[in-house]
Amino acid sequence: MLTERIHRAIRTTKRHQEKLEDLGIKTLKDLFFYFPRAYEDLSQFSKVSEIRTDCKNVLKGKVTNLSKRRARTGKLLISGIFSDNTGSVEVIWFNQPYILEVLNPNEEIILSGKASFDFNRITLKNPDFEKVKENLIHTARIVPIYHESPPITSKWVREKIALTKSYLDFLEEYMPEEILERQKLINFKKAIKSIHFPSSKDLIIKSRERLAFDELFLIQLIALQKRWQWMKNYSENELNISISEDFLNEFKNKLPFTLTNAQQKVIDEVFIDLQKKYPMLRLLQGDVGSGKTAVAAAAAYAVYKNGLQTAIMAPTEILAKQHFNSLTEIFGFFDVKMDLLVGSLSEKNKKNIAEKIKNGQIDIIIGTHALIQEYVHFKNLGLAVIDEQHRFGVKQRDILKSHGTPHLLNMTATPIPRTLALTLYGDQDISIIDEMPKGRKNIITRIVPEHKRRDAYFWIEDQVKKGRQVFVICPLVDESDYLEVKSATQEYEKLSREIFQNLKVGLVHGKLKADEKDKAMNDFKEKKIEVLVSTSVVEVGIDVPNATIMMIEGAERFGLSQLHQFRGRVGRGEHQSYCFLFPTNSSIESLKRLKALEENHSGFKLAEIDLEQRGPGEIYGINQSGIPDLKMASLSDFELIKRARNEAIKIISQDPTLDKYVSLKGKLNEFINDYNVSICP
Ligand code: ADP
Ligand code: MG
């Protein structure tokens, strides 16, 4: 019954119907899931003698003396006198001639509206009204207010939902009784009913809580089912890793630096996972420069010691090469055999390396997507490390997993507050490096107002003459690749022809071919380019220790987390580094936001501020992650996320396929279909 198309259940115009389709509302159920955005409490009546001008008045009485006239402005005015047993007041409607027809002077009505006090008298202007009957919809209750999207108005939605109210009885409970009890949640039917027809404010709160809980709970069920699948897929004998005490010491002794406590802690977590009988599924989060590579190296070494292979996959060639170089530095002392497999190698070279991978002549293979081409077969892949995992599509990540059932370590430099991570990456264990290697200097960050721009350019030129290098990031342009490339090209022309005529300026953007991009990056690395202009899409986690200045144009258009990522590209060498933010608009709001960057140097702290200010959708590209738009729950409601997760864990650990929970299973499938949900890793 609930899947009845709306136009069959109620009368509606074609225009309304089309708009509903746009809003994704096709069936009655969809309509019931169109939740109010707010409420207005019109449940308390007052009397004409008590009318106030500072809030809405809800009055019961009759309207008489209705008449129609044109105002000087040309507006059509309907006016009348509204009276109850305490007095009378003038009431006016603008441009609503039908009122003359519907209002009958002998009939009692309910009016609700604001009163204004002009020319020494009180007038009610454009009040809502409703004839007194048993079930009042728009007045005399707590009235829901819906998002309006013409011709769909709140009034329209209220009327249609009231009309189809009896269908609400077809809603069935699917949540296991025990959860409702433990979580003190109200029944599903009651929650949906009360969201549209609340009998008290308290009930609105309870209904919202129930419906928000459900969304988060279903997301957690999906994530935990995935995790269960993952653990089920392993084959017992394949991974049989053991790690001895002195092994880590041996590794640490060879490292060119001392591990930070945070690195040490994460390595411990990873080692515990590696020795379990099912494969690891772990997300390692750590700010840019926090030293995630060393963790990957430790894990790779442990796996190597057990005679298994490791694959490390990075999103770009330049990053893959960088990893190759730093790992060569670390493993130079051991007999680990390493190689690099990237797309730009000759076919012959690629085949050759693939052959060695197959024969087990390579222990650690580092590369790009080239690693997951069909011709690559591992002899015995024990560990897959995916750097900047969000840059890979879900499929690409899955392929690497499908080479046997290796341990999987995902790494990301995009910090996500912990509880949000539980939702986005609910199927993975999470490790965090929350500490920078000792001796790192904070990057001095400044907002540069337009009148200081020239001074900044002089200063930067001076720095370059002293041997430093500069990144220039161009603003996001309406998410349009084309415009962005254009603005970067213009910036490049301006800088190379006018501002930094004496410096070597280069350009890199997303429309360049991979090898052109790599060439520009390499030229920058080798100092053939001193000032590199780049679009924001070219996210190069590149290591150029000599680059000490990051200039960001249109800075207010980026989120704090992203700005922080850009900033992380400098400050990798011995010299003090700087980040200059050039806002294009200097509204207090955006300056305040950028100020947070001047003051904070932890990616996690900034992510939290970002989350508070902009909500999660914007920041983490929630859509790409496969998390649906939530109607009720907020991804910032950490308390509720934890509650939902705990309950989901209880259910999945007893009955991972939900065979004992038939209606819940049905609801879950419905949810997955409705929202087309797929969740990371
Ligand atoms: P990211 O987390 O961004 O991948 P990297 O692993 O590339 O960071 O490390 C950044 C730099 O810091 C590298 O040059 C690395 O050699 C260095 N590094 C990593 N760990 C430490 C440490 N504990 N002490 C000093 N330097 C370190
Ligand atoms: Mg890295």
Side-chain angles (χ1 to χ4, degrees), residues 257-260 263 287-294 437 440 543 572:
F257 44 73
T258 318
L259 292 172
T260 62
Q263 283 170 318
D287 246 338
V288 185
S290 61
K292 295 184 289 295
T293 317
R440 278 294 159 77
D543 209 355
R572 291 173 175 231

Side-chain angles (χ1 to χ4, degrees), residues 1-6 9 24-35 161 164 167-168 170-172 174 188 192 196 631 666-675:
M1 294 306 277
L2 291 164
T3 52
E4 181 87 310
R5 311 293 282 186
I6 294 207
I25 304 174
K26 296 181 179 132
T27 63
L28 279 179
K29 195 188 85 193
D30 298 337
L31 186 64
F32 295 144
F33 273 80
Y34 194 64
F35 297 142
I161 292 187
T164 50
Y167 287 89
L168 283 170
F170 293 103
L171 292 170
E172 274 169 31
Y174 50 83
F188 179 57
I192 297 276
H196 299 293
K631 290 183 195 294
K667 173 72 186 179
L668 188 62
N669 286 333
E670 203 179 283
F671 184 76
I672 292 171
N673 282 332
D674 282 359
Y675 293 89

Side-chain angles (χ1 to χ4, degrees), residues 416-424 635 637-639 641-642:
I416 299 172
R418 187 162 192 110
T419 321
L420 181 56
L422 282 183
T423 309
L424 292 184
L635 291 180
D637 189 346
F638 292 175
E639 240 356 271
I641 291 175
K642 277 189 218 154

Side-chain angles (χ1 to χ4, degrees), residues 311-558:
I312 301 180
M313 186 161 80
T316 62
E317 289 209 0
I318 203 122
L319 278 180
K321 277 180 203 154
Q322 216 162 273
H323 277 308
F324 182 73
N325 293 339
S326 31
L327 292 177
T328 310
E329 199 176 313
I330 295 174
F331 289 120
F333 301 95
F334 306 102
D335 327 316
V336 184
K337 293 186 286 299
M338 293 201 302
D339 219 325
L340 181 69
L341 180 60
V342 292
S344 65
L345 295 179
S346 70
E347 286 306 307
K348 191 167 154 240
N349 263 339
K350 281 191 235 173
K351 291 273 145 64
N352 197 0
I353 293 176
E355 198 55 37
K356 287 194 199 158
I357 294 176
K358 197 169 155 194
N359 298 336
Q361 286 164 286
I362 293 178
D363 304 312
I364 301 180
I365 181 73
I366 296 148
T368 54
H369 302 95
L371 285 180
I372 50 176
Q373 303 307 314
E374 283 141 32
Y375 60 83
V376 180
H377 300 280
F378 290 88
K379 179 169 181 226
N380 51 15
L381 185 61
L383 169 67
V385 179
I386 303 186
D387 197 17
E388 299 303 334
Q389 57 86 32
H390 60 280
R391 305 263 310 263
F392 292 96
V394 177
K395 269 225 181 73
Q396 291 166 330
R397 290 179 246 152
D398 278 348
I399 294 179
L400 201 48
K401 282 192 304 196
S402 67
H403 286 283
T405 46
H407 292 287
L408 184 64
L409 180 63
N410 288 315
M411 306 203 290
T412 176
T414 308
I416 299 172
R418 187 162 192 110
T419 321
L420 181 56
L422 282 183
T423 309
L424 292 184
Y425 304 107
D427 55 346
Q428 308 192 42
D429 292 304
I430 293 173
S431 290
I432 297 176
I433 305 187
D434 51 4
E435 176 188 0
M436 285 293 186
K438 280 205 189 60
R440 278 294 159 77
K441 295 192 197 87
N442 277 341
I443 296 160
I444 297 175
T445 303
R446 291 288 173 265
I447 303 168
V448 185
E450 209 42 46
H451 67 273
K452 293 249 178 88
R453 183 180 277 272
R454 289 228 76 89
D455 290 351
Y457 283 149
F458 283 130
W459 188 86
I460 289 168
E461 181 157 8
D462 198 49
Q463 289 288 308
V464 176
K465 287 191 178 138
K466 286 183 180 146
R468 307 288 96 75
Q469 286 167 279
V470 185
F471 282 106
V472 181
I473 302 284
C474 297
L476 273 174
V477 188
D478 299 330
E479 314 268 312
S480 147
D481 266 7
Y482 168 76
L483 290 178
E484 207 171 40
V485 169
K486 191 169 153 212
S487 93
T489 312
Q490 281 167 354
E491 183 70 20
Y492 164 75
E493 311 247 298
K494 178 179 116 192
L495 292 181
S496 58
R497 292 199 187 145
E498 296 166 32
I499 314 286
F500 297 135
Q501 281 176 8
N502 305 323
L503 308 181
K504 288 173 269 178
V505 183
L507 172 67
V508 47
H509 57 68
K511 284 276 173 285
L512 293 182
K513 294 205 192 81
D515 52 335
E516 292 172 319
K517 242 186 272 177
D518 276 0
K519 178 167 178 343
M521 300 308 305
N522 264 327
D523 285 352
F524 189 57
K525 242 179 155 159
E526 288 164 17
K527 234 177 148 183
K528 289 185 209 151
I529 292 175
E530 291 162 325
V531 178
L532 183 66
V533 180
S534 141
T535 54
S536 58
V537 285
V538 185
E539 281 217 33
V540 277
I542 185 187
D543 209 355
V544 182
N546 194 48
T548 56
I549 299 171
M550 168 61 64
M551 288 173 57
I552 305 173
E553 295 288 346
E556 81 282 4
R557 299 197 186 183
F558 297 103

